[in-house]
């Protein structure tokens, strides 16, 4: 590049100084020396254009600006060189190869039982039920006595219980809840007057011999509606609507009479088996019955209504307890409940 002889000295000096700068700090020092706003030599040179004799001003100004651009370009190129050299040094001198592609982050997702739980709660929420919660480690007076299962009652055999090993006056009273029904009592206890309309989700624990439809840890949703004039048809209506939301209208449901000490009358609701569709084959999932039981339900026993301080001659209610894993099995046609907690991501990633 041709520059005026008076600029040539500055050019050579600047380029030589830049060439000998070996790091960021050196470059910054160079920038201040030549381009600093107050004292920078290039800045001063540009500022002096206006003091040149009129006939020289134009050509001197053009040359000075060209030099300015050349030096700025040289600074940028030097900055890039230093960056490249630093990156190269990092990849050759250190144990970390920064040029390797990054590891993709695996995105998590909600467990199928959690997804099913949320969908159930949404369906009940749309029907006016609010969500309540209760403890997983429960007292026997709520888990059993409060729902009419006294100590010597044979119904306690229905739930082989996992007890907490703490003795109170020589006896065990704390346990991992075997169902969500203790929350019927807990919710009524803290609600001074009807109406009550709640769903209570949560984990329950039983000493089960596991099989395709039984786990030792299970998730239930308890439903409870108590008010004047609540009837069995309300219970059936709510459960029909919920099952339509979860399974679509072409699945069949059936109510059988059943016994639970805390309801009268009591029922069980089942859905047609998605594996054999009830064709009588030996089916592991429904044991050849054609139906898979998903919940227990009934009209809240008047004694429980009275214990809550309500007048059972005017106030009635229904309750249900459904198994969320069973619902998830039926929704996706999964043949074995044990898959849910086997921690195999190949299974879990499908939902
Ligand atoms: C009960 O637990 C009652 N508390 C239900 C109830 C509530 C009845 C309110 C009346 C009024 P049951 O033991 O049948 O009942 O369990 C209810 C549901 O939980 C079953 O229909 C099933 O869907 C699910 N369930 C029970 N045991 C297991 C298990 N071991 N593994 C997976 N799901 C289970």
């Amino acid at each position: 590049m041709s520059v005026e002889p008076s600029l040539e000295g500055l050019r050579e000096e600047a380029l030589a100084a830049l060439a000998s700068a070996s790091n960021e700090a050196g470059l910054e020092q160079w920038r201040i020396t030549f381009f600093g706003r107050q004292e920078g030599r290039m800045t001063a040179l540009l500022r002096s254009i206006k003091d040149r004799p009129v006939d020289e001003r134009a050509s001197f100004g053009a040359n000075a600006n060209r030099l300015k651009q050349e030096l700025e370009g040289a600074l940028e190129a030097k900055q890039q060189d230093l960056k490249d050299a630093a990156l190269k040094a990092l990849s050759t001198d250190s144990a970390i190869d920064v040029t390797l592609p990054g590891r993709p982050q695996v995105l998590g997702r909600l467990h199928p039982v959690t997804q099913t739980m949320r969908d159930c709660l949404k369906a009940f929420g749309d029907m006016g039920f609010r969500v309540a919660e209760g403890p997983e480690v429960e007292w026997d007076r709520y888990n059993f006595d409060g729902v009419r299962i006294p100590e010597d009652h044979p119904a306690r055999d229905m739930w082989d219980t996992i007890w907490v090993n703490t003795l109170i006056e020589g006896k065990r009273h704390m346990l991992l809840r075997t169902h969500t029904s203790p929350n019927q009592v807990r919710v009524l206890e803290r609600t001074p007057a009807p109406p009550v309309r709640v769903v209570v989700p949560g984990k329950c624990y039983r000493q089960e011999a596991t099989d395709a439809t039984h786990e030792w840890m299970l998730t239930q949703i308890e439903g409870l509606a108590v008010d004047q004039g609540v009837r069995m048809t309300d219970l059936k209506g709510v459960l029909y609507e919920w099952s339509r939301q979860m399974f679509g209208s072409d699945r069949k449901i059936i109510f059988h009479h059943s016994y639970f000490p805390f309801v009268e009358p009591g029922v069980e609701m089942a859905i047609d088996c998605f594996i054999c569709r009830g064709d009588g084959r030996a089916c592991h999932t429904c044991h050849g019955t054609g139906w898979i039981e998903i919940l227990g339900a009934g009209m809240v026993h008047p004694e429980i209504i009275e214990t809550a301080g309500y007048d059972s001659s005017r106030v009635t209610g229904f309750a249900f307890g459904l198994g969320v894993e069973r619902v998830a099995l039926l929704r996706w046609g999964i043949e074995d409940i044990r898959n849910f907690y086997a921690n195999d991501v190949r299974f879990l990633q499908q939902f």
Side-chain angles (χ1 to χ4, degrees), residues 159 179 181 184 206 208 213-215 218 220 222 260 262-263 293-298 319-323 326 337:
W159 296 282
H179 54 167
S181 294
Q184 291 182 27
R206 298 180 185 184
E208 292 274 13
T213 55
H214 290 83
E215 259 290 4
L218 56 134
Q220 287 191 341
E222 191 80 9
F260 301 95
F262 35 95
V263 287
E293 177 212 319
I294 52 171
L295 62 87
F320 57 84
L322 65 87
R326 296 268 177 97
I337 199 170

Side-chain angles (χ1 to χ4, degrees), residues 146-168:
V147 286
R148 303 187 70 252
I149 312 175
E151 203 178 333
D152 54 355
H153 195 291
R156 284 208 191 200
D157 298 341
M158 283 168 29
W159 296 282
D160 253 352
T161 307
I162 301 173
W163 292 90
V164 174
N165 215 358
T166 307
L167 300 183
I168 299 173

Side-chain angles (χ1 to χ4, degrees), residues 327-344:
V327 176
L329 286 184
L330 287 153
R331 263 182 120 179
W332 285 299
I334 298 162
E335 290 189 29
D336 197 314
I337 199 170
R338 288 166 291 197
N339 287 320
F340 286 130
Y341 303 116
N343 283 337
D344 185 340

Side-chain angles (χ1 to χ4, degrees), residues 259-272:
Y259 173 69
F260 301 95
F262 35 95
V263 287
E264 181 58 41
V267 291
E268 266 169 14
M269 188 178 111
I271 295 205
D272 57 321

Side-chain angles (χ1 to χ4, degrees), residues 7-282:
L7 301 177
E8 188 56 36
L10 180 59
R11 176 176 182 266
E12 274 170 17
E13 213 182 311
L15 291 178
L18 190 60
S20 64
S22 58
N23 54 29
E24 278 289 317
L27 286 190
E28 180 58 9
Q29 192 49 54
W30 184 91
R31 195 192 58 75
I32 292 167
T33 307
F34 292 95
F35 285 94
R37 229 185 265 175
Q38 303 297 334
E39 310 274 313
R41 294 177 55 192
M42 191 66 220
T43 317
L45 187 85
L46 291 167
R47 219 181 277 137
S48 75
I49 297 173
K50 63 179 186 323
D51 305 327
R52 308 294 285 197
V54 179
D55 56 339
E56 285 177 18
R57 214 178 277 169
S59 75
F60 183 81
N63 284 336
N65 270 310
R66 228 177 293 137
L67 176 60
K68 174 183 176 249
Q69 279 169 13
E70 183 191 354
L71 293 183
E72 282 173 345
L75 174 64
E76 252 175 52
K78 181 75 184 192
Q79 279 169 331
Q80 192 56 51
D81 285 353
L82 283 185
K83 260 191 214 153
D84 291 348
L87 203 60
K88 193 155 177 254
L90 207 60
S91 61
T92 51
D93 303 350
S94 81
I96 304 166
D97 183 351
V98 294
T99 63
L100 280 176
R103 289 194 193 115
Q105 290 295 313
V106 181
L107 278 185
R109 64 187 75 204
L110 290 178
H111 191 279
V113 173
T114 307
Q115 290 180 39
T116 305
M117 159 90 86
R118 291 191 179 186
D119 293 342
C120 290
L121 295 180
K122 164 87 176 60
F124 289 121
D126 288 346
M127 289 186 266
F129 287 80
R130 68 176 182 82
V131 177
E133 279 186 307
E136 280 180 37
V137 181
E138 186 54 285
W139 297 107
D140 55 357
R141 70 191 155 88
Y142 285 112
N143 197 84
F144 293 129
D145 305 76
V147 286
R148 303 187 70 252
I149 312 175
E151 203 178 333
D152 54 355
H153 195 291
R156 284 208 191 200
D157 298 341
M158 283 168 29
W159 296 282
D160 253 352
T161 307
I162 301 173
W163 292 90
V164 174
N165 215 358
T166 307
L167 300 183
I168 299 173
E169 291 173 1
K171 281 171 78 179
R172 287 181 184 148
H173 290 285
M174 238 190 262
L175 50 95
L176 300 188
R177 68 178 170 200
T178 57
H179 54 167
T180 43
S181 294
N183 294 294
Q184 291 182 27
V185 183
R186 285 183 174 275
V187 169
L188 291 178
E189 211 173 58
R190 60 177 186 251
T191 314
V196 171
R197 212 184 289 161
V198 291
V199 276
V200 190
K203 295 259 183 296
C204 306
Y205 304 85
R206 298 180 185 184
Q207 302 244 22
E208 292 274 13
T210 62
D211 64 23
T213 55
H214 290 83
E215 259 290 4
W216 65 270
M217 178 179 81
L218 56 134
T219 314
Q220 287 191 341
I221 296 177
E222 191 80 9
L224 178 68
V226 177
D227 203 355
Q228 287 189 28
V230 173
R231 294 177 305 176
M232 188 82 183
T233 45
D234 298 318
L235 168 66
K236 288 183 85 173
V238 164
L239 293 177
Y240 265 125
E241 177 54 24
W242 163 76
S243 62
R244 229 173 47 82
Q245 299 277 334
M246 297 303 296
F247 306 110
S249 48
D250 57 334
R251 300 301 293 274
K252 286 188 227 132
I253 63 172
I254 193 168
F255 288 92
H256 295 293
H257 170 260
S258 185
Y259 173 69
F260 301 95
F262 35 95
V263 287
E264 181 58 41
V267 291
E268 266 169 14
M269 188 178 111
I271 295 205
D272 57 321
C273 176
F274 59 92
I275 301 284
C276 68
R277 298 272 168 183
D279 67 4
R281 274 183 292 145

